[in-house]
Amino acid sequence: MVGERLRTRFQQGGTLKRAVVTGITGQDGSYLAELLLSKGYEVHGVIRRASTFNTSRIDHIYQDPNHPNVKLFLHHGDLSTTEWILNLIYSLAPDELYHLAAQSHVKVSFDIPEYTGDITGLGTMRLLEAIRRSGAKTRFYQASSSEMFGSAPPPQSEATVFQPRSPYAAAKVYAHAVTRIYREGYGLYAASGILFNHESPRRGETFVTRKITRSVAAILAGREDSLYLGNLDARRDWGYAPEYVEAMWQILQQDDADDYVIGTGETHSVREFVEEAFAYAGLDWQKFVKTSERYLRPLEVDVLVADPAKARAKLGWRSQVGFRDLVAIMVDADVEAAGLKPHGRGKTILEEKIGHWNSWHNSVSRLVKAVSGQASQH
């Protein structure tokens, strides 16, 4: 049996750490898997069964489970099923569990609030309860969100009172609270990272930053002539996603479990992101960008900006990729994906500021090939 083989390998490996990552096919999950593999972990990713393949973000690191030295395993599962979650924890007894899976699109959460609450909120409780029942010494990471702060005045820190303004944010508040309850009530090592907006070339195509950079590339390629957006005045604290998964790992390496705000401490409007992205590509954004009410939320969050003082002091974590750097990375990636030659500043930024595990080749070029069906381990 695969499970027995895994347990044997773990025992023989001695110091080999085992991590479970829910949401491994998402932006954060794919980067986290790469980071953990680079550190020698055995990684088990949880993915949903679907009629179509949804693994493009990890195809370039996928390994045949029959290979004797494989360190990446995928498990089809459902966070709405308590029995399946219990079986997963009992069979793997992971050292660390990174819970990143969620229905994470804020606008969509208004359309499917019940599903959002079940998966994003109750799914967290089911995982924590499974760890408690199993008696495993698993360190649990909860992916909390800056959207929980909602209308709370900026800057927002760990002490800021949550004022959620969407079903997604409300579900995240529940998940955050229940994580703390299991930590304080049952003594579980259960920590939360309250991550502010973090973007990358792997961001979902319906999220505003990626929507903007894909449109810039499409306009340069002559495939589009307009971009429709919602509220251009909303302000967010945007950082580079691979740096944020490094913070996730650091959070679980601390002696005591705690909650940390992770962000850059700077805020920029959607309009500023648009201006910077189009200007970087040599385009006048006002000739192409239009607004549409269909992209407005029933309740808007006006300003989110992190106060990451605690993370800087206790984790030693500080973002290296600034706002303009982030935009350059994302535009260059989408331009390359469109078959055009990018300016190249994005690649230079990664070489200068990010570790070897997140090179341009890993983060962009191999992913482009994977999406087009040309995935390679080399």
Side-chain angles (χ1 to χ4, degrees):
M1 291 175 59
V2 173
E4 183 61 37
R5 181 163 62 89
L6 292 177
R7 283 190 289 274
T8 301
R9 286 186 63 246
F10 183 71
Q11 291 164 357
Q12 293 174 344
T15 60
L16 182 67
K17 275 192 174 182
R18 176 179 293 167
V20 168
V21 180
T22 70
I24 195 171
T25 58
Q27 170 189 253
D28 293 0
S30 64
Y31 283 126
L32 180 60
E34 285 179 296
L35 176 64
L36 295 174
L37 288 170
S38 76
K39 293 181 178 294
Y41 278 67
E42 179 182 281
V43 179
H44 294 260
V46 177
I47 61 175
R48 292 175 298 168
R49 286 200 179 275
S51 57
T52 57
F53 293 108
N54 62 348
T55 59
S56 61
R57 291 186 182 95
I58 59 170
D59 281 348
H60 64 290
I61 59 172
Y62 177 75
Q63 301 168 341
D64 187 334
N66 295 303
H67 193 281
N69 297 316
V70 66
K71 289 186 178 180
L72 175 63
F73 300 86
L74 300 181
H75 306 264
H76 288 95
D78 186 350
L79 293 180
S80 66
T81 306
T82 301
E83 182 180 0
W84 181 86
I85 293 173
L86 276 168
N87 288 337
L88 179 75
I89 302 301
Y90 271 116
S91 62
L92 294 179
D95 296 281
E96 298 169 3
L97 194 160
Y98 297 86
H99 179 36
L100 312 183
Q103 190 303 101
S104 59
H105 199 289
V106 177
K107 178 67 167 63
V108 171
S109 75
F110 285 96
D111 300 324
I112 50 173
E114 182 178 357
Y115 176 80
T116 300
D118 185 26
I119 300 303
T120 306
L122 291 176
T124 303
M125 180 273 294
R126 294 181 184 111
L127 285 166
L128 288 163
E129 181 63 8
I131 293 172
R132 185 187 73 82
R133 290 191 195 180
S134 71
K137 301 301 181 183
T138 302
R139 293 192 170 198
F140 178 86
Y141 172 85
Q142 162 60 18
S144 292
S145 168
S146 61
E147 286 288 332
M148 301 187 303
F149 293 119
S151 55
Q156 293 97 2
S157 72
E158 295 84 0
T160 302
V161 176
F162 300 133
Q163 299 181 31
R165 291 174 65 81
S166 69
Y168 167 75
K172 280 292 187 180
V173 169
Y174 172 86
H176 183 84
V178 80
T179 298
R180 186 167 185 172
I181 288 169
Y182 273 73
R183 178 171 73 226
E184 297 178 354
Y186 297 115
L188 267 61
Y189 191 109
S192 293
I194 308 174
L195 272 56
F196 280 65
N197 293 66
H198 44 291
E199 318 297 317
S200 78
R202 298 184 192 176
R203 189 54 141 157
E205 296 174 359
T206 60
F207 287 81
V208 66
T209 51
R210 186 73 197 292
K211 186 176 178 181
I212 293 166
T213 58
R214 286 187 74 244
S215 183
V216 167
I219 290 170
L220 288 175
R223 299 168 189 163
E224 291 183 9
D225 59 10
S226 59
L227 167 63
Y228 287 90
L229 297 171
N231 182 9
L232 298 180
D233 297 319
R235 302 183 68 83
R236 295 292 185 269
D237 184 331
W238 279 302
Y240 183 51
E243 292 190 291
Y244 287 58
V245 303
E246 289 181 330
M248 295 177 191
W249 180 80
Q250 287 178 294
I251 287 171
L252 288 197
Q253 309 316 305
Q254 304 306 300
D255 291 337
D256 299 310
D258 206 346
D259 304 328
Y260 296 89
V261 160
I262 305 295
T264 70
E266 297 182 8
T267 185
H268 298 272
S269 68
V270 175
R271 190 186 309 275
E272 288 177 75
F273 198 104
V274 169
E275 291 172 349
E276 182 65 28
F278 276 78
Y280 179 73
L283 300 171
D284 180 356
W285 72 275
Q286 293 180 318
K287 293 181 179 180
F288 303 99
V289 178
K290 303 173 184 179
T291 58
S292 171
E293 291 188 359
R294 70 177 297 181
Y295 297 118
L296 297 177
R297 303 178 186 178
L299 287 173
E300 185 57 81
V301 174
D302 295 324
V303 183
L304 292 175
V305 56
D307 175 1
K310 181 178 177 180
R312 289 173 179 171
K314 293 194 172 184
L315 304 178
W317 182 91
R318 184 184 297 267
S319 62
Q320 301 297 316
V321 176
F323 175 72
R324 296 186 66 192
D325 291 344
L326 171 66
V327 175
I329 291 169
M330 294 184 66
V331 172
D332 276 355
D334 275 318
V335 168
E336 182 175 309
L340 304 176
K341 183 176 177 59
H343 285 319
R345 190 160 71 88
K347 182 178 181 179
T348 301
I349 291 165
L350 292 191
E351 290 175 348
E352 293 178 349
K353 297 186 176 183
I354 304 297
H356 68 90
W357 72 272
N358 186 238
S359 66
W360 185 263
H361 177 63
N362 282 350
S363 187
V364 178
S365 299
R366 287 168 66 179
L367 181 66
V368 170
K369 292 180 179 179
V371 171
S372 62
Q374 305 171 44
S376 173
Q377 294 292 315
H378 306 289

